[in-house]
Amino acid sequence: MAIIGNPKYAERIDHHLAKYETKRSAVMPLLFIAQEEYGWVNAEGIDEVAQILNLDPTQVKSIAGFYTMYSERPKGKYWLQVCTDLPCALKGADDFHAWLKDELGVEEGGTTKDGMFTVEHVMCLAACDKAPMLQCNFHYVENLDQDKMRELLAKWRLEAAQAANGRG
């Protein structure tokens, strides 16, 4: 696996490099590409982004480490980030978050044994009126309850199984 020389990413990398006056400005979108390829921002991805942008890997790592949308450790196929900021907590987000971790049998930041789901709490996803809510791989899912969440978990498991069998 690699992003450099991978035709799957070449057009996107070129697009981001052309968009900015300086190469350094493309570091964040290229980190997203690395995270997509590896499932997290690992040392190889950081080195590749640094090479593409002619930066020191330490500079790239400092950016990846600052922003919460980059994961510096492996995550499940579905990264579930539950907003537990005060407005969401007042609408049941803390209880929902605790239930979800119990439902999946994980601790905070943990990943299910099958590698399917990682559950974390985050602060403020700016959808307080739709709590409890979460983002799954950066897509919002709002107005959640236990039944709706069980349906989503089953749907995502089915999608992953179909993709693994070449039908997704």
Side-chain angles (χ1 to χ4, degrees), residues 10-168:
E11 187 175 319
R12 287 172 54 198
I13 290 170
D14 290 344
H15 167 78
H16 290 300
L17 292 175
K19 226 164 68 159
Y20 298 105
E21 192 171 315
T22 62
K23 278 185 163 187
R24 178 184 171 85
S25 298
V27 69
M28 293 180 72
L30 295 190
L31 281 169
F32 273 118
I33 292 171
Q35 183 165 272
E36 179 182 326
E37 175 64 16
Y38 298 107
W40 58 301
V41 179
N42 60 12
E44 188 175 352
I46 286 172
D47 288 345
E48 288 182 272
V49 170
Q51 183 179 341
I52 292 167
L53 301 176
N54 300 319
L55 295 173
D56 186 281
T58 305
Q59 293 175 297
V60 176
K61 184 165 178 46
S62 71
I63 294 167
F66 180 79
Y67 291 99
T68 60
M69 67 269 222
Y70 304 114
S71 178
E72 293 185 275
R73 58 177 210 210
K75 299 285 184 200
K77 180 171 181 58
Y78 298 95
W79 184 10
L80 308 178
Q81 297 176 292
V82 180
C83 183
T84 57
D85 207 359
L86 181 59
C88 290
L90 292 172
K91 292 184 76 175
D94 284 338
D95 291 339
F96 177 81
H97 178 242
W99 169 84
L100 181 58
K101 290 186 299 181
D102 287 344
E103 179 76 6
L104 293 172
V106 297
E107 297 294 322
E108 175 61 23
T111 300
T112 55
K113 289 179 179 154
D114 62 3
M116 194 68 58
F117 301 102
T118 298
V119 180
E120 296 177 339
H121 78 93
V122 293
M123 291 297 179
C124 197
L125 292 172
C128 308
D129 61 321
K130 306 279 193 311
M133 62 85 58
L134 60 79
Q135 66 177 358
C136 174
N137 301 345
F138 303 106
H139 299 282
Y140 280 18
V141 185
E142 303 167 332
N143 300 309
L144 291 167
D145 60 31
Q146 293 177 6
D147 291 336
K148 185 175 180 181
M149 193 67 222
R150 281 188 187 106
E151 288 174 16
L152 286 167
L153 294 171
K155 174 186 162 214
W156 291 327
R157 281 187 175 109
L158 179 62
E159 285 176 1
Q162 288 174 335
N165 291 325
R167 294 187 308 237

